[in-house]
């Protein structure tokens, strides 16, 4: 069975602090993708990043970075020097090659950045 | 290029009425997904299409919900005899097979 767990329901940080959003996934397949999406208060889910299971190289995009560790089945997301515009709900997701086109979403982490 | 579009953006209806929600996926995307999101909640999977067929209808909450996709493109989600608990945001997403899903802006449904 496939599953994505985002244990942090809500996080509040003060602007300019760093924050890490945790994502733990479960799958027995060796070929899969992991994703992060951002849902700002406006409501539309925005794709942030996709990683495939064969590429554990960490990625940095501006203030955003992602740490993929197969050994712990985690795909954590760090925002450096957080800003108020980062306030949103963030979803982690998994898709697995051998389960058709089904996607598995975590329950989301609501991040509030306090000015 | 054009993203996923959904219509209407907002729908207010009376309990017991039928509603149709429409999704236009990104051109060329083979897979199409419907989700429901209640206020402050996560994504509830409803159904997905591969082409015009729906391999997985397991998420449809009751037989009042149905969906179809024609021509491998536009999809319609129909809710019959709406109930107040159907009030939510209905999100559509499309993808090329199991690759990245791209979401539309959603339809906000309010059942009075």
């Amino acid at each position: 069975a496939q599953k994505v767990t985002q244990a942090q329901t809500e996080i509040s940080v003060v602007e300019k602090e760093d924050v890490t959003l945790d994502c733990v996934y479960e799958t027995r397949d060796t070929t899969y993708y992991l994703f992060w999406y951002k849902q700002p208060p406006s409501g539309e889910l925005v794709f942030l990043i996709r990683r495939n299971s064969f590429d554990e190289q960490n990625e940095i995009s501006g203030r955003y970075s992602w740490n993929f560790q197969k050994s712990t089945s985690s795909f954590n997301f760090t925002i450096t020097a957080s800003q108020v515009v980062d306030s949103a709900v963030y979803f982690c997701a998994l898709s697995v090659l051998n389960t058709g086109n089904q996607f598995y979403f975590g329950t989301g982490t609501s991040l509030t950045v306090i000015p | 290029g054009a993203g996923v579009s959904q219509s209407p953006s907002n729908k207010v209806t009376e309990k017991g009425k039928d509603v149709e929600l429409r999704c236009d996926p990104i051109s060329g995307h083979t897979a199409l997904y419907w989700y429901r999101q209640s206020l402050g909640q996560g994504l509830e999977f409803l159904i997905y299409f591969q082409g015009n067929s729906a391999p997985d209808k397991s998420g449809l909450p009751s037989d009042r919900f149905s969906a179809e996709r024609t021509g491998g493109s536009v999809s319609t989600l129909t809710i019959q005899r709406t109930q107040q608990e159907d009030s939510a945001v209905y999100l559509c997403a499309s993808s090329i097979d199991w690759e990245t899903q791209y979401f539309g802006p959603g339809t906000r449904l309010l059942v009075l």
Side-chain angles (χ1 to χ4, degrees), chain B residues 33-93:
Chain B
Y33 305 77
W34 284 99
Y35 296 88
R36 180 168 71 174
Q37 188 175 33
S38 300
L39 189 62
Q41 301 299 308
L43 299 174
E44 177 187 4
F45 168 77
L46 297 179
I47 187 171
Y48 93 89
F49 291 89
Q50 177 61 34
N52 290 335
S53 64
D56 188 352
K57 302 181 181 179
S58 63
L60 293 177
S62 75
D63 58 9
R64 297 187 295 105
F65 288 72
S66 63
E68 65 175 14
R69 187 181 187 194
T70 55
S73 182
V74 171
S75 176
T76 302
L77 176 69
T78 301
I79 309 174
Q80 296 178 309
R81 305 181 303 282
T82 51
Q83 303 295 311
Q84 289 180 332
E85 59 263 29
D86 298 334
S87 296
V89 177
Y90 290 81
L91 293 165
C92 176

Side-chain angles (χ1 to χ4, degrees), chain B residues 11-33:
Chain B
K11 177 72 177 178
V12 180
T13 189
E14 294 179 349
K15 178 182 174 181
K17 301 277 189 181
D18 297 350
V19 295
E20 283 191 355
L21 312 180
R22 177 187 168 104
C23 173
D24 275 280
I26 294 172
S27 178
H29 279 197
T30 51
L32 184 148
Y33 305 77

Side-chain angles (χ1 to χ4, degrees), chain A residues 37 39 42 95 101-103, chain B residues 33 37 50 98-99 101:
Chain A
Y37 288 85
Q39 187 176 37
S42 60
S95 70
N101 299 329
Q102 179 62 286
F103 280 67
Chain B
Y33 305 77
Q37 188 175 33
Q50 177 61 34
W98 64 300
E99 298 184 8
Q101 283 192 357

